[in-house]
Amino acid sequence: MSQREYINAKRIQTDAPNSIVITVKKGDAVKSGDLSVSGKNMQAGKIHHH
């Protein structure tokens, strides 16, 4: 993740501390279910990079 993307993700997290912030690298193929926030892998208050 670029420095700019990280700064933006941190800004979102600061504005909403219990949010789940997910970033996806441009051009990456995301499979169905990869971004599901209902599982144990996605925790509130964290930045998740796919």
Short mmCIF file of all heavy atoms in Angstrom, two decimals:
data_model
loop_
_atom_site.label_atom_id
_atom_site.label_comp_id
_atom_site.label_asym_id
_atom_site.label_seq_id
_atom_site.Cartn_x
_atom_site.Cartn_y
_atom_site.Cartn_z
N MET A 1 0.86 -1.16 0.00
CA MET A 1 0.00 0.00 0.00
C MET A 1 0.90 1.22 0.00
O MET A 1 1.91 1.26 0.69
CB MET A 1 -0.92 -0.10 1.22
CG MET A 1 -1.34 1.16 1.84
SD MET A 1 -2.48 1.09 3.26
CE MET A 1 -2.70 -0.57 3.68
N SER A 2 0.52 2.21 -0.79
CA SER A 2 1.33 3.43 -0.87
C SER A 2 1.17 4.25 0.41
O SER A 2 0.23 4.04 1.20
CB SER A 2 0.90 4.27 -2.07
OG SER A 2 -0.36 4.87 -1.84
N GLN A 3 2.08 5.17 0.60
CA GLN A 3 2.03 6.05 1.79
C GLN A 3 0.72 6.85 1.79
O GLN A 3 0.09 7.01 2.83
CB GLN A 3 3.23 6.99 1.79
CG GLN A 3 3.30 7.89 3.00
CD GLN A 3 3.58 7.15 4.30
OE1 GLN A 3 4.11 6.05 4.28
NE2 GLN A 3 3.23 7.74 5.41
N ARG A 4 0.30 7.31 0.63
CA ARG A 4 -0.94 8.08 0.52
C ARG A 4 -2.15 7.24 0.92
O ARG A 4 -3.03 7.70 1.65
CB ARG A 4 -1.10 8.58 -0.90
CG ARG A 4 -2.35 9.37 -1.12
CD ARG A 4 -2.41 9.88 -2.55
NE ARG A 4 -3.67 10.52 -2.78
CZ ARG A 4 -4.33 10.49 -3.91
NH1 ARG A 4 -3.83 9.84 -4.94
NH2 ARG A 4 -5.48 11.08 -4.04
N GLU A 5 -2.20 6.00 0.45
CA GLU A 5 -3.30 5.11 0.80
C GLU A 5 -3.32 4.83 2.29
O GLU A 5 -4.39 4.79 2.92
CB GLU A 5 -3.19 3.80 0.02
CG GLU A 5 -3.45 3.96 -1.46
CD GLU A 5 -3.06 2.73 -2.25
OE1 GLU A 5 -2.08 2.06 -1.88
OE2 GLU A 5 -3.73 2.45 -3.24
N TYR A 6 -2.14 4.63 2.88
CA TYR A 6 -2.05 4.36 4.31
C TYR A 6 -2.55 5.57 5.12
O TYR A 6 -3.30 5.41 6.08
CB TYR A 6 -0.62 4.01 4.70
CG TYR A 6 -0.47 3.71 6.16
CD1 TYR A 6 -0.91 2.50 6.69
CD2 TYR A 6 0.06 4.65 7.04
CE1 TYR A 6 -0.79 2.22 8.03
CE2 TYR A 6 0.18 4.38 8.40
CZ TYR A 6 -0.25 3.16 8.89
OH TYR A 6 -0.15 2.91 10.22
N ILE A 7 -2.15 6.75 4.72
CA ILE A 7 -2.58 7.98 5.41
C ILE A 7 -4.10 8.11 5.34
O ILE A 7 -4.76 8.44 6.33
CB ILE A 7 -1.87 9.22 4.84
CG1 ILE A 7 -0.39 9.18 5.23
CG2 ILE A 7 -2.53 10.51 5.31
CD1 ILE A 7 0.46 10.20 4.50
N ASN A 8 -4.67 7.85 4.16
CA ASN A 8 -6.13 7.94 4.01
C ASN A 8 -6.84 6.88 4.85
O ASN A 8 -7.86 7.17 5.48
CB ASN A 8 -6.53 7.80 2.54
CG ASN A 8 -6.20 9.03 1.73
OD1 ASN A 8 -6.09 10.12 2.27
ND2 ASN A 8 -6.01 8.84 0.44
N ALA A 9 -6.31 5.67 4.89
CA ALA A 9 -6.91 4.61 5.70
C ALA A 9 -6.84 4.97 7.19
O ALA A 9 -7.81 4.77 7.93
CB ALA A 9 -6.21 3.28 5.44
N LYS A 10 -5.72 5.51 7.63
CA LYS A 10 -5.58 5.93 9.03
C LYS A 10 -6.55 7.07 9.35
O LYS A 10 -7.10 7.13 10.45
CB LYS A 10 -4.14 6.36 9.34
CG LYS A 10 -3.15 5.23 9.42
CD LYS A 10 -3.47 4.25 10.52
CE LYS A 10 -3.12 4.79 11.87
NZ LYS A 10 -3.42 3.81 12.96
N ARG A 11 -6.76 7.98 8.41
CA ARG A 11 -7.70 9.09 8.62
C ARG A 11 -9.11 8.55 8.80
O ARG A 11 -9.85 9.00 9.69
CB ARG A 11 -7.64 10.05 7.44
CG ARG A 11 -8.50 11.29 7.65
CD ARG A 11 -8.42 12.28 6.49
NE ARG A 11 -7.04 12.58 6.18
CZ ARG A 11 -6.55 12.59 4.93
NH1 ARG A 11 -7.31 12.29 3.90
NH2 ARG A 11 -5.29 12.89 4.72
N ILE A 12 -9.50 7.59 7.98
CA ILE A 12 -10.83 6.98 8.11
C ILE A 12 -10.96 6.32 9.47
O ILE A 12 -11.96 6.48 10.17
CB ILE A 12 -11.06 5.94 6.99
CG1 ILE A 12 -11.16 6.65 5.63
CG2 ILE A 12 -12.31 5.10 7.27
CD1 ILE A 12 -11.08 5.71 4.45
N GLN A 13 -9.92 5.59 9.87
CA GLN A 13 -9.94 4.88 11.15
C GLN A 13 -10.00 5.86 12.32
O GLN A 13 -10.66 5.60 13.32
CB GLN A 13 -8.71 4.00 11.26
CG GLN A 13 -8.76 3.04 12.40
CD GLN A 13 -7.56 2.15 12.42
OE1 GLN A 13 -6.45 2.61 12.19
NE2 GLN A 13 -7.76 0.88 12.67
N THR A 14 -9.33 6.99 12.20
CA THR A 14 -9.35 8.01 13.26
C THR A 14 -10.75 8.61 13.39
O THR A 14 -11.23 8.84 14.51
CB THR A 14 -8.32 9.10 12.97
OG1 THR A 14 -7.02 8.51 12.91
CG2 THR A 14 -8.33 10.19 14.03
N ASP A 15 -11.39 8.87 12.26
CA ASP A 15 -12.74 9.45 12.27
C ASP A 15 -13.78 8.47 12.81
O ASP A 15 -14.77 8.89 13.39
CB ASP A 15 -13.15 9.89 10.86
CG ASP A 15 -12.37 11.12 10.39
OD1 ASP A 15 -11.73 11.78 11.23
OD2 ASP A 15 -12.39 11.39 9.17
N ALA A 16 -13.57 7.19 12.58
CA ALA A 16 -14.51 6.16 13.03
C ALA A 16 -13.71 5.00 13.63
O ALA A 16 -13.40 4.03 12.95
CB ALA A 16 -15.36 5.68 11.87
N PRO A 17 -13.32 5.11 14.91
CA PRO A 17 -12.42 4.13 15.53
C PRO A 17 -12.89 2.68 15.49
O PRO A 17 -12.08 1.77 15.50
CB PRO A 17 -12.31 4.61 16.98
CG PRO A 17 -12.78 6.00 16.99
CD PRO A 17 -13.71 6.16 15.83
N ASN A 18 -14.18 2.44 15.43
CA ASN A 18 -14.69 1.06 15.40
C ASN A 18 -14.93 0.55 13.98
O ASN A 18 -15.50 -0.51 13.80
CB ASN A 18 -15.98 0.95 16.21
CG ASN A 18 -15.71 1.12 17.69
OD1 ASN A 18 -14.65 0.74 18.18
ND2 ASN A 18 -16.64 1.72 18.40
N SER A 19 -14.46 1.30 13.00
CA SER A 19 -14.67 0.90 11.61
C SER A 19 -13.71 -0.22 11.19
O SER A 19 -12.70 -0.47 11.84
CB SER A 19 -14.47 2.10 10.68
OG SER A 19 -13.11 2.53 10.74
N ILE A 20 -14.07 -0.87 10.12
CA ILE A 20 -13.20 -1.86 9.50
C ILE A 20 -12.77 -1.25 8.17
O ILE A 20 -13.60 -1.01 7.30
CB ILE A 20 -13.93 -3.20 9.25
CG1 ILE A 20 -14.34 -3.82 10.59
CG2 ILE A 20 -13.04 -4.16 8.46
CD1 ILE A 20 -15.20 -5.05 10.45
N VAL A 21 -11.49 -0.94 8.04
CA VAL A 21 -10.97 -0.30 6.84
C VAL A 21 -10.28 -1.36 5.98
O VAL A 21 -9.38 -2.05 6.45
CB VAL A 21 -9.97 0.83 7.20
CG1 VAL A 21 -9.45 1.51 5.94
CG2 VAL A 21 -10.63 1.86 8.11
N ILE A 22 -10.74 -1.49 4.75
CA ILE A 22 -10.20 -2.50 3.84
C ILE A 22 -9.61 -1.78 2.64
O ILE A 22 -10.27 -0.95 2.02
CB ILE A 22 -11.29 -3.47 3.36
CG1 ILE A 22 -11.96 -4.15 4.54
CG2 ILE A 22 -10.70 -4.49 2.39
CD1 ILE A 22 -13.21 -4.92 4.18
N THR A 23 -8.36 -2.08 2.32
CA THR A 23 -7.73 -1.53 1.12
C THR A 23 -7.42 -2.67 0.16
O THR A 23 -7.08 -3.77 0.57
CB THR A 23 -6.43 -0.77 1.45
OG1 THR A 23 -5.48 -1.68 1.99
CG2 THR A 23 -6.67 0.35 2.46
N VAL A 24 -7.57 -2.39 -1.13
CA VAL A 24 -7.29 -3.38 -2.16
C VAL A 24 -6.35 -2.74 -3.17
O VAL A 24 -6.64 -1.66 -3.70
CB VAL A 24 -8.59 -3.85 -2.86
CG1 VAL A 24 -8.27 -4.85 -3.96
CG2 VAL A 24 -9.56 -4.45 -1.86
N LYS A 25 -5.24 -3.38 -3.43
CA LYS A 25 -4.27 -2.88 -4.39
C LYS A 25 -4.89 -2.82 -5.78
O LYS A 25 -5.58 -3.74 -6.20
CB LYS A 25 -3.04 -3.79 -4.41
CG LYS A 25 -1.93 -3.30 -5.28
CD LYS A 25 -0.73 -4.23 -5.18
CE LYS A 25 0.38 -3.79 -6.10
NZ LYS A 25 1.51 -4.72 -6.06
N LYS A 26 -4.66 -1.73 -6.47
CA LYS A 26 -5.19 -1.54 -7.81
C LYS A 26 -4.75 -2.70 -8.71
O LYS A 26 -3.58 -3.07 -8.74
CB LYS A 26 -4.69 -0.22 -8.39
CG LYS A 26 -5.27 0.14 -9.72
CD LYS A 26 -4.79 1.50 -10.16
CE LYS A 26 -5.41 1.88 -11.48
NZ LYS A 26 -4.99 3.23 -11.89
N GLY A 27 -5.71 -3.29 -9.39
CA GLY A 27 -5.42 -4.40 -10.29
C GLY A 27 -5.55 -5.77 -9.67
O GLY A 27 -5.54 -6.77 -10.38
N ASP A 28 -5.65 -5.85 -8.34
CA ASP A 28 -5.81 -7.15 -7.67
C ASP A 28 -7.21 -7.69 -7.91
O ASP A 28 -8.20 -6.96 -7.86
CB ASP A 28 -5.59 -7.03 -6.16
CG ASP A 28 -4.14 -7.14 -5.77
OD1 ASP A 28 -3.29 -7.27 -6.65
OD2 ASP A 28 -3.86 -7.07 -4.55
N ALA A 29 -7.28 -8.97 -8.15
CA ALA A 29 -8.57 -9.64 -8.29
C ALA A 29 -9.04 -10.08 -6.91
O ALA A 29 -8.32 -10.74 -6.19
CB ALA A 29 -8.44 -10.85 -9.21
N VAL A 30 -10.24 -9.68 -6.56
CA VAL A 30 -10.80 -10.03 -5.26
C VAL A 30 -11.82 -11.13 -5.47
O VAL A 30 -12.75 -11.00 -6.26
CB VAL A 30 -11.46 -8.80 -4.61
CG1 VAL A 30 -12.05 -9.15 -3.26
CG2 VAL A 30 -10.45 -7.67 -4.46
N LYS A 31 -11.64 -12.23 -4.75
CA LYS A 31 -12.56 -13.36 -4.84
C LYS A 31 -13.79 -13.12 -3.98
O LYS A 31 -13.73 -12.38 -2.99
CB LYS A 31 -11.87 -14.64 -4.38
CG LYS A 31 -10.69 -15.06 -5.21
CD LYS A 31 -10.02 -16.28 -4.61
CE LYS A 31 -8.71 -16.57 -5.31
NZ LYS A 31 -7.93 -17.57 -4.58
N SER A 32 -14.86 -13.76 -4.35
CA SER A 32 -16.09 -13.67 -3.58
C SER A 32 -15.83 -14.10 -2.14
O SER A 32 -15.25 -15.15 -1.89
CB SER A 32 -17.16 -14.56 -4.20
OG SER A 32 -18.32 -14.53 -3.44
N GLY A 33 -16.22 -13.29 -1.19
CA GLY A 33 -16.04 -13.61 0.22
C GLY A 33 -14.75 -13.08 0.83
O GLY A 33 -14.61 -13.07 2.04
N ASP A 34 -13.80 -12.63 0.00
CA ASP A 34 -12.53 -12.11 0.53
C ASP A 34 -12.72 -10.89 1.43
O ASP A 34 -11.95 -10.67 2.35
CB ASP A 34 -11.58 -11.73 -0.60
CG ASP A 34 -10.84 -12.92 -1.19
OD1 ASP A 34 -10.99 -14.04 -0.65
OD2 ASP A 34 -10.14 -12.72 -2.19
N LEU A 35 -13.74 -10.11 1.14
CA LEU A 35 -13.94 -8.86 1.88
C LEU A 35 -15.07 -8.97 2.90
O LEU A 35 -15.56 -7.97 3.40
CB LEU A 35 -14.21 -7.71 0.91
CG LEU A 35 -13.13 -7.51 -0.15
CD1 LEU A 35 -13.49 -6.35 -1.06
CD2 LEU A 35 -11.77 -7.28 0.48
N SER A 36 -15.46 -10.18 3.23
CA SER A 36 -16.51 -10.39 4.22
C SER A 36 -16.05 -9.89 5.58
O SER A 36 -14.98 -10.25 6.05
CB SER A 36 -16.87 -11.87 4.31
OG SER A 36 -17.79 -12.08 5.35
N VAL A 37 -16.85 -9.04 6.19
CA VAL A 37 -16.49 -8.50 7.50
C VAL A 37 -17.11 -9.30 8.64
O VAL A 37 -16.92 -8.96 9.80
CB VAL A 37 -16.89 -7.01 7.62
CG1 VAL A 37 -16.12 -6.17 6.64
CG2 VAL A 37 -18.38 -6.82 7.45
N SER A 38 -17.83 -10.36 8.31
CA SER A 38 -18.50 -11.13 9.35
C SER A 38 -17.61 -12.20 9.98
O SER A 38 -17.93 -12.72 11.04
CB SER A 38 -19.77 -11.79 8.79
OG SER A 38 -19.43 -12.69 7.75
N GLY A 39 -16.49 -12.51 9.38
CA GLY A 39 -15.60 -13.55 9.92
C GLY A 39 -14.64 -13.01 10.96
O GLY A 39 -14.64 -11.82 11.28
N LYS A 40 -13.83 -13.88 11.52
CA LYS A 40 -12.87 -13.49 12.55
C LYS A 40 -11.70 -12.70 11.99
O LYS A 40 -11.00 -12.02 12.73
CB LYS A 40 -12.33 -14.74 13.25
CG LYS A 40 -13.36 -15.48 14.06
CD LYS A 40 -12.72 -16.70 14.72
CE LYS A 40 -13.73 -17.48 15.51
NZ LYS A 40 -13.15 -18.66 16.13
N ASN A 41 -11.46 -12.79 10.68
CA ASN A 41 -10.30 -12.13 10.08
C ASN A 41 -10.41 -10.62 10.05
O ASN A 41 -9.41 -9.93 10.03
CB ASN A 41 -10.07 -12.66 8.66
CG ASN A 41 -9.68 -14.11 8.66
OD1 ASN A 41 -9.21 -14.64 9.65
ND2 ASN A 41 -9.90 -14.76 7.54
N MET A 42 -11.63 -10.10 10.01
CA MET A 42 -11.83 -8.65 9.94
C MET A 42 -12.22 -8.14 11.32
O MET A 42 -13.30 -8.42 11.81
CB MET A 42 -12.93 -8.30 8.93
CG MET A 42 -12.64 -8.76 7.54
SD MET A 42 -11.38 -7.71 6.79
CE MET A 42 -11.32 -8.43 5.17
N GLN A 43 -11.32 -7.40 11.93
CA GLN A 43 -11.58 -6.88 13.27
C GLN A 43 -11.77 -5.37 13.21
O GLN A 43 -11.05 -4.67 12.49
CB GLN A 43 -10.41 -7.21 14.19
CG GLN A 43 -10.21 -8.68 14.39
CD GLN A 43 -8.98 -8.99 15.23
OE1 GLN A 43 -8.24 -8.10 15.58
NE2 GLN A 43 -8.79 -10.25 15.55
N ALA A 44 -12.75 -4.89 13.95
CA ALA A 44 -13.00 -3.45 14.02
C ALA A 44 -11.78 -2.73 14.59
O ALA A 44 -11.07 -3.26 15.43
CB ALA A 44 -14.22 -3.19 14.89
N GLY A 45 -11.55 -1.53 14.09
CA GLY A 45 -10.43 -0.73 14.57
C GLY A 45 -9.10 -1.07 13.92
O GLY A 45 -8.06 -0.61 14.36
N LYS A 46 -9.12 -1.87 12.87
CA LYS A 46 -7.88 -2.28 12.20
C LYS A 46 -7.97 -1.98 10.71
O LYS A 46 -9.05 -1.89 10.14
CB LYS A 46 -7.63 -3.76 12.39
CG LYS A 46 -7.51 -4.17 13.84
CD LYS A 46 -6.47 -5.21 14.02
CE LYS A 46 -6.40 -5.58 15.48
NZ LYS A 46 -5.19 -5.24 16.08
N ILE A 47 -6.81 -1.85 10.08
CA ILE A 47 -6.73 -1.69 8.64
C ILE A 47 -6.37 -3.03 8.04
O ILE A 47 -5.40 -3.68 8.46
CB ILE A 47 -5.65 -0.65 8.26
CG1 ILE A 47 -6.03 0.73 8.81
CG2 ILE A 47 -5.46 -0.59 6.74
CD1 ILE A 47 -4.97 1.78 8.62
N HIS A 48 -7.15 -3.47 7.07
CA HIS A 48 -6.93 -4.75 6.42
C HIS A 48 -6.56 -4.49 4.98
O HIS A 48 -7.26 -3.81 4.25
CB HIS A 48 -8.20 -5.62 6.50
CG HIS A 48 -8.63 -5.87 7.90
ND1 HIS A 48 -8.12 -6.91 8.66
CD2 HIS A 48 -9.49 -5.20 8.70
CE1 HIS A 48 -8.67 -6.88 9.85
NE2 HIS A 48 -9.51 -5.85 9.90
N HIS A 49 -5.45 -5.04 4.55
CA HIS A 49 -4.98 -4.88 3.17
C HIS A 49 -5.12 -6.19 2.43
O HIS A 49 -4.65 -7.21 2.89
CB HIS A 49 -3.52 -4.41 3.15
CG HIS A 49 -2.98 -4.24 1.77
ND1 HIS A 49 -3.40 -3.23 0.95
CD2 HIS A 49 -2.08 -4.96 1.08
CE1 HIS A 49 -2.76 -3.33 -0.20
NE2 HIS A 49 -1.97 -4.38 -0.14
N HIS A 50 -5.78 -6.13 1.30
CA HIS A 50 -5.97 -7.34 0.50
C HIS A 50 -4.93 -7.37 -0.59
O HIS A 50 -4.63 -6.44 -1.23
CB HIS A 50 -7.36 -7.38 -0.10
CG HIS A 50 -7.60 -8.60 -0.91
ND1 HIS A 50 -7.23 -8.69 -2.22
CD2 HIS A 50 -8.15 -9.79 -0.60
CE1 HIS A 50 -7.56 -9.88 -2.69
NE2 HIS A 50 -8.11 -10.57 -1.73
#
